[in-house]
């Protein structure tokens, strides 16, 4: 009996809408259980053509949690030059974050939404890619930004403080905030301030 593969539905957007950016993105990609590499390198599984993107910018890494019959994924930042924003957290070189069923990711101006549809096969997974004509992660309105800035003025950005002893780069953070909330404004501000090139 053949088991169903896990499917990652990946939507991609870049504000310049240059066809060359996503020219090498296939509509669908079946992959084994090794990390799926994203970057400019010829050996990257998902090749994106942007000058500020590293050859190997990030990876989507499947793994199986103890006691689970399903594949789980984490996203790992592989670039020394930039950072990757994932669900409100900024990842730097070699930091990784477990993914939830729906994930918002931004790096080098690219906005990416990854939806995980679990399957029972542990042999691999399938990625289905969709190119979006409109932004996937919306910027806050000016009044929301002003409110956030006046509320949190003078405080350091989240995650910029000292790390706990024994920190090995695996970050755990809050789930996605509800739309229109104060945390949403902060997350969207981080996108525009930290990961656009």
């Amino acid at each position: 009996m053949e088991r169903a593969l896990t499917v990652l539905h990946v939507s991609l957007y870049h504000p310049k809408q240059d066809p060359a950016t996503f020219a090498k993105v296939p509509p669908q990609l079946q992959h084994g259980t090794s990390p799926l590499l994203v970057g400019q390198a010829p050996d990257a599984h998902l090749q994106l053509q942007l000058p500020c993107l590293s050859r190997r910018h990030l990876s989507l890494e499947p793994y199986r949690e103890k006691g689970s019959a399903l594949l789980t994924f984490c996203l790992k930042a592989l670039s020394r030059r930039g950072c990757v924003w994932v669900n409100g957290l900024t990842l730097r070189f070699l930091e990784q974050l477990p993914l939830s069923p729906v994930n918002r990711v931004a790096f080098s101006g690219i906005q990416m939404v990854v939806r995980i549809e679990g399957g029972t096969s542990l042999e691999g997974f399938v990625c289905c890619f969709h190119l979006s004509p409109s932004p996937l992660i919306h910027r806050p309105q000016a009044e929301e930004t002003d409110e956030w800035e006046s509320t949190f003025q003078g405080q350091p950005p989240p995650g910029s403080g000292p790390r706990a002893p024994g920190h090995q780069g695996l970050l755990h953070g809050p789930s996605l905030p509800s739309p229109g909330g104060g945390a949403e404004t902060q997350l969207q501000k981080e996108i525009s301030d930290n990961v656009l090139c």
Side-chain angles (χ1 to χ4, degrees):
M1 182 176 189
E2 193 171 316
R3 295 180 174 206
L5 292 173
T6 296
V7 179
L8 301 183
H9 297 278
V10 181
S11 297
L12 297 162
Y13 169 79
H14 191 271
K16 292 188 180 173
Q17 296 290 307
D18 182 358
T21 302
F22 301 120
K24 295 185 178 183
V25 175
Q28 185 172 317
L29 173 69
Q30 187 163 341
H31 196 71
T33 55
S34 63
L36 184 133
L37 298 174
V38 177
Q40 287 195 67
D43 65 340
H45 303 102
L46 178 57
Q47 291 183 28
L48 304 173
Q49 304 305 313
L50 281 173
C52 56
L53 195 67
S54 296
R55 293 175 51 79
R56 292 182 175 191
H57 203 85
L58 61 90
S59 64
L60 293 170
E61 302 187 359
Y63 65 97
R64 186 174 153 207
E65 288 184 330
K66 187 176 181 177
S68 174
L70 301 175
L71 281 180
T72 305
F73 293 84
C74 73
L75 188 145
K76 182 186 247 182
L78 300 176
S79 175
R80 292 180 192 267
R81 296 189 309 185
C83 55
V84 179
W85 180 90
V86 183
N87 296 334
L89 297 172
T90 301
L91 301 182
R92 305 224 182 268
F93 182 60
L94 296 182
E95 290 181 328
Q96 60 187 357
L97 179 71
L99 295 180
S100 59
V102 178
N103 305 274
R104 296 180 300 170
V105 180
F107 56 96
S108 299
I110 292 175
Q111 295 179 7
M112 180 168 78
V113 173
V114 180
R115 290 179 179 83
I116 302 172
E117 184 181 304
T120 55
S121 175
L122 300 175
E123 305 299 317
F125 60 97
V126 175
C127 289
C128 295
F129 298 102
H130 168 73
L131 304 181
S132 176
S134 58
L136 300 167
I137 303 170
H138 299 284
R139 294 186 52 130
Q141 296 174 1
E143 62 189 32
E144 292 175 329
T145 301
D146 294 342
E147 178 182 320
W148 181 84
E149 289 172 352
S150 64
T151 305
F152 294 98
Q153 190 171 13
Q155 292 184 5
S160 65
R163 293 189 173 142
H167 174 75
Q168 296 179 356
L170 183 62
L171 300 176
H172 298 279
S175 59
L176 290 173
S178 60
E184 179 79 13
T185 304
Q186 175 187 353
L187 302 179
Q188 292 170 339
K189 182 172 176 10
E190 285 180 20
I191 292 171
S192 62
D193 292 347
N194 296 329
V195 292
L196 297 178
C197 71

